[in-house]
């Protein structure tokens, strides 16, 4: 692993790192913020998965997470959104290829060679984080924005034992039916739409996957609300499944980092609360709803 | 004036605007954050002047000022650092030309046609802000980073009646003797170095200019500390002139926005405190030192 840059911020260290990924078969870059408390003890890890067109740098520059992460003592890991470099791409379509990995393991040529963001984030990158950073891997949380909100929710649903909590900003909750994600899924996973359900948050809940609870913030003036996001679909599924979901609609907010940064503190506190709970998931879920009402 | 973008953030509005500048003879872009309190009353104006290579966008993206500005009720104006577009430039030198206006009015051809950032920021842009935004122009403060710290301090010293307070992150305090500013000043102002003193904070204080007090934060690991910044030169001049200066050296911090964003809250609170004081400058100065000790 190569250090690209390190810089002191809010008492901690914001770093950018590069490594040769065997899963994605290319060089990958990611950002890690280590809070000051790591000097004395391993810290919980919060993953932030970014949206379409983003790299690790967007939330690092504009997410405004460091002040609160330093206060709470959270390590924040910000991965890239796709393989990079000399990999197959659809350069004239920002919703397919580089910057649009959709957090799946592609099964179709030529994308199956590199587009394996699911395994990269579940297997390869956590091992690196555990090796090189003062991380308490028994306490992990995950969040994301837009395509990254989709990624965070499916990873939580498919790995409920790993993540203590999950939240999202303006997530894509049903990628298998959203016009802006279908073209990528058909190229990555093939024409059989049944296979897309494996990476579809709403379908996963309908199919029996469970997670203690979710927090979703959504801008009411988000230009992609009706086209690609439609959080009410996931809200309905969670309601039917008995999964507590707090969906907050925010008047006037759009899809940008101005929206994310406004509510970032809320999300970090929400996760920190759950990461430090030693009780079971059920207890956590019950306690959390009261907490959400006060954040 | 044309609106480039507006986006809700922290309850206020972050906008980007463009206008045809008569002073700089080109199209100029600037950013304004309007806090939620502007809905009920005009708000004080805090100017943030950016450093070399920056546009209005750097601090807008990475400065992390909106949360606290919204809490305090401050309008934050972030101008560009030079004229733009089809203007004379020295493209192979990032310390001269575009992105390196140094907040002076150039007197030498060809730069004198466009490089007039001093008059632009003292005359033209304030008039626009007063016309188009809910601004209380009787309460203005100014701050900046690096080259913009230089700009903020000279503007405060030359216009003590306009600005209630002035602070800087890692400012260039003696541009007339710093190797990285001398080439630009010689091209903008000519070979007579005596004329450079008109825009040199340390010389201005030595020449009798006064301001109630200054707050300067400086990273101790700043790579430019000895080459271009040297805040102790200004500290000495202020000490001899009896101007209260709080210079805080911060271990481990560099020259980047990670440093700026870490201490941004402190600066905004410091300015807000002075902008709402109704007493004289002397009273403000006396009160401020106690406050600085507690921020």
């Amino acid at each position: 692993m190569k250090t690209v840059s390190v810089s002191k911020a809010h008492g901690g260290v914001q770093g950018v790192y590069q490594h040769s990924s065997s899963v994605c078969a290319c060089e990958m870059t990611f950002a890690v913020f280590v809070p000051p408390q790591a000097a004395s003890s391993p810290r919980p890890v919060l993953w932030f998965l970014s949206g379409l067109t983003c790299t690790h740098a967007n939330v690092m520059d504009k997410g405004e997470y460091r002040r609160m992460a330093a206060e709470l003592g959270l390590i924040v890991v910000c991965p890239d959104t796709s393989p990079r470099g000399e990999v197959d791409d659809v350069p004239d379509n920002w919703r397919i290829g580089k910057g649009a990995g959709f957090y799946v393991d592609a099964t179709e040529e030529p994308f199956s060679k590199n587009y394996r963001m699911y395994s990269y984030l579940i297997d390869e990158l956590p091992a690196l984080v555990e090796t090189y950073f003062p991380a308490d891997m028994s306490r992990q949380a995950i969040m994301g924005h837009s395509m990254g909100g989709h990624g965070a929710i499916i990873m939580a649903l498919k790995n409920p034992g790993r993540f203590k909590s999950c939240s999202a900003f303006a997530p894509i909750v049903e990628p298998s039916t959203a016009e802006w994600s279908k073209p990528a899924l058909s190229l990555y996973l093939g024409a059989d739409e049944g296979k897309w359900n494996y990476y579809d948050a709403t379908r996963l809940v309908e199919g029996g996957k469970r997670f203690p609870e979710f927090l979703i913030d959504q801008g009411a003036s988000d230009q992609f609300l009706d086209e690609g996001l439609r959080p009410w679909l996931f809200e309905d599924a969670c309601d039917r499944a008995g999964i507590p979901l707090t969906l907050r609609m925010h008047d006037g907010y759009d899809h940008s980092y101005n929206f994310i940064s406004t509510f970032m503190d809320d999300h970090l506190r929400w996760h920190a609360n759950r990461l430090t709970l030693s009780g079971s998931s059920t207890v956590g879920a019950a306690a959390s709803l009261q907490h959400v009402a006060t954040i």
Side-chain angles (χ1 to χ4, degrees), chain A:
Chain A
M1 195 183 75
K2 174 182 144 197
T3 299
V4 177
S5 66
V6 288
S7 178
K8 190 169 179 180
H10 293 278
V13 175
Q14 177 64 63
V16 177
Y17 307 91
Q18 210 167 55
H19 70 112
S20 179
S21 165
S22 58
V23 170
C24 294
C26 65
E27 289 289 305
M28 292 292 281
T29 305
F30 62 101
V32 178
F33 177 72
V34 175
Q37 297 88 337
S40 55
S41 67
R43 305 309 308 173
V45 175
L46 174 59
W47 297 81
F48 186 98
L49 308 190
S50 292
L52 286 162
T53 77
C54 290
T55 69
H56 67 283
N58 300 68
V59 68
M60 181 178 78
D61 288 347
K62 302 197 249 185
E64 302 189 9
Y65 58 78
R66 279 173 291 270
R67 186 186 58 86
M68 185 55 70
E71 183 178 323
L72 298 168
L74 290 170
I75 289 177
V76 181
V77 182
C78 307
D80 205 341
T81 59
S82 75
R84 297 285 173 179
E86 299 297 313
V87 303
D88 287 283
D89 193 15
V90 183
D92 58 348
N93 188 336
W94 58 277
R95 293 173 178 179
I96 308 173
K98 289 189 196 177
F102 274 97
Y103 303 103
V104 306
D105 282 353
T107 54
E108 303 299 300
E109 292 292 340
F111 295 97
S112 55
K113 183 183 168 201
N114 305 103
Y115 286 74
R116 302 187 61 220
M117 291 301 291
Y118 183 82
S119 291
Y120 174 69
L121 290 173
I122 288 297
D123 298 329
E124 189 174 27
L125 194 52
L128 268 187
V129 169
E130 183 168 21
T131 302
Y132 290 103
F133 298 91
D136 176 359
M137 302 302 278
S138 73
R139 292 191 289 165
Q140 294 185 60
I142 192 163
M143 67 192 300
H145 170 232
S146 196
M147 177 182 75
H150 142 73
I153 296 172
I154 63 168
M155 292 202 185
L157 285 167
K158 292 153 83 71
N159 303 274
R162 174 177 304 192
F163 299 108
K164 303 289 188 200
S165 51
C166 176
S167 73
F169 298 102
I172 302 172
V173 299
E174 199 175 286
S176 67
T177 65
E179 289 305 322
W180 73 349
S181 42
K182 285 168 67 178
L185 295 185
S186 72
L187 286 178
Y188 298 163
L189 304 174
D192 176 4
E193 299 186 12
K195 295 182 179 169
W196 306 359
N197 295 341
Y198 187 72
Y199 295 107
D200 182 301
T202 302
R203 295 291 165 275
L204 287 172
V205 168
E206 290 171 351
K209 294 287 186 187
R210 293 294 180 265
F211 197 73
E213 60 178 328
F214 294 101
L215 168 63
I216 293 178
D217 275 328
Q218 173 65 54
S221 296
D222 188 323
Q223 62 177 313
F224 303 114
L225 182 53
D226 295 318
E227 178 195 6
L229 305 176
R230 309 166 299 167
W232 45 85
L233 299 177
F234 189 60
E235 186 180 39
D236 286 348
C238 285
D239 189 46
R240 289 193 299 273
I243 299 175
L245 165 67
T246 301
L247 171 59
R248 308 194 300 184
M249 298 295 294
H250 298 283
D251 280 350
Y253 284 91
D254 60 26
H255 199 65
S256 75
Y257 277 91
N258 285 318
F259 161 61
I260 297 171
S261 62
T262 298
F263 299 101
M264 181 62 84
D265 281 5
D266 285 0
H267 284 242
L268 295 191
R269 278 192 293 258
W270 193 82
H271 286 290
N273 189 303
R274 283 145 187 79
L275 286 164
T276 51
L277 284 175
S278 55
S280 70
S281 295
T282 310
V283 172
S288 69
L289 279 180
Q290 294 184 320
H291 177 69
V292 167
T294 64
I295 61 177

